[in-house]
Amino acid sequence: MKEVSFDDIFILGNTVVDNKHYKHVHYPEMLIRYDSNFLDFKVLPTVKEFVAIESYLRSYHIEHGQNHLKFSLPENKKMSEPFETYLTKNGYEISCLELYAIEPKNFPQIRLMSNF
C-alpha cells in the first residue's frame, strides 16, 4: 500500500489563492461548510505572519457573508508556544486529525439482518 497523506483527500471547493505559504479554498455554493471554506498552511507561520493572513481571510469571509475562520496547519509539524498561545487567547479551538488507511480486502465483514 502506498503511503497516504492528507494531500490525497478530495476537498470540495475552489482554490482562490495557492502560493508557497498557503492554499485558500472557497466553496460559494455552501458558505457554511467549514471543510470547503478554509485556509491550508503549507508551512507553519510565525505569529506575525498568521495575524496578517488571518486578517486577509476574515475580510474575505466577511465580504462573502461568512462568519467563521478555519485554518489547517501542515501535518506532523508542532506549532510554537507563542503561536499556540495566540490562538488560545483569541478563542480558536485547536484539534488534531489522524489519518488511517486500510486495504479494502481488510475491511471488516458485516452481516446484514433482514426483517423479512
Side-chain angles (χ1 to χ4, degrees), residues 12-14 16 24-38 57 60-70:
L12 180 62
N14 308 313
V16 176
H24 175 190
V25 177
H26 179 70
Y27 189 55
E29 289 84 356
M30 192 173 291
L31 297 172
I32 61 170
R33 187 170 193 272
Y34 278 41
D35 291 340
S36 293
N37 295 281
F38 67 98
L57 187 61
Y60 188 93
H61 278 201
I62 289 170
E63 182 180 319
H64 290 86
Q66 297 170 279
N67 61 4
H68 78 272
L69 295 178
K70 178 183 176 183

Side-chain angles (χ1 to χ4, degrees), residues 20-96:
K20 67 181 182 176
H21 300 286
Y22 61 84
K23 179 168 72 169
H24 175 190
V25 177
H26 179 70
Y27 189 55
E29 289 84 356
M30 192 173 291
L31 297 172
I32 61 170
R33 187 170 193 272
Y34 278 41
D35 291 340
S36 293
N37 295 281
F38 67 98
L39 195 138
D40 183 26
F41 282 100
K42 297 178 182 180
V43 294
L44 279 173
T46 64
V47 173
K48 184 177 179 179
E49 291 168 335
F50 180 80
V51 169
I53 295 167
E54 173 190 38
S55 176
Y56 154 75
L57 187 61
R58 178 176 284 111
S59 295
Y60 188 93
H61 278 201
I62 289 170
E63 182 180 319
H64 290 86
Q66 297 170 279
N67 61 4
H68 78 272
L69 295 178
K70 178 183 176 183
F71 299 94
S72 177
L73 300 176
E75 63 184 281
N76 300 321
K77 302 290 183 198
K78 182 161 175 53
M79 67 180 102
S80 68
E81 189 175 313
F83 185 41
E84 189 170 347
T85 299
Y86 175 85
L87 294 175
T88 303
K89 283 186 176 180
N90 286 280
Y92 285 98
E93 294 179 18
I94 300 171
S95 63
C96 180

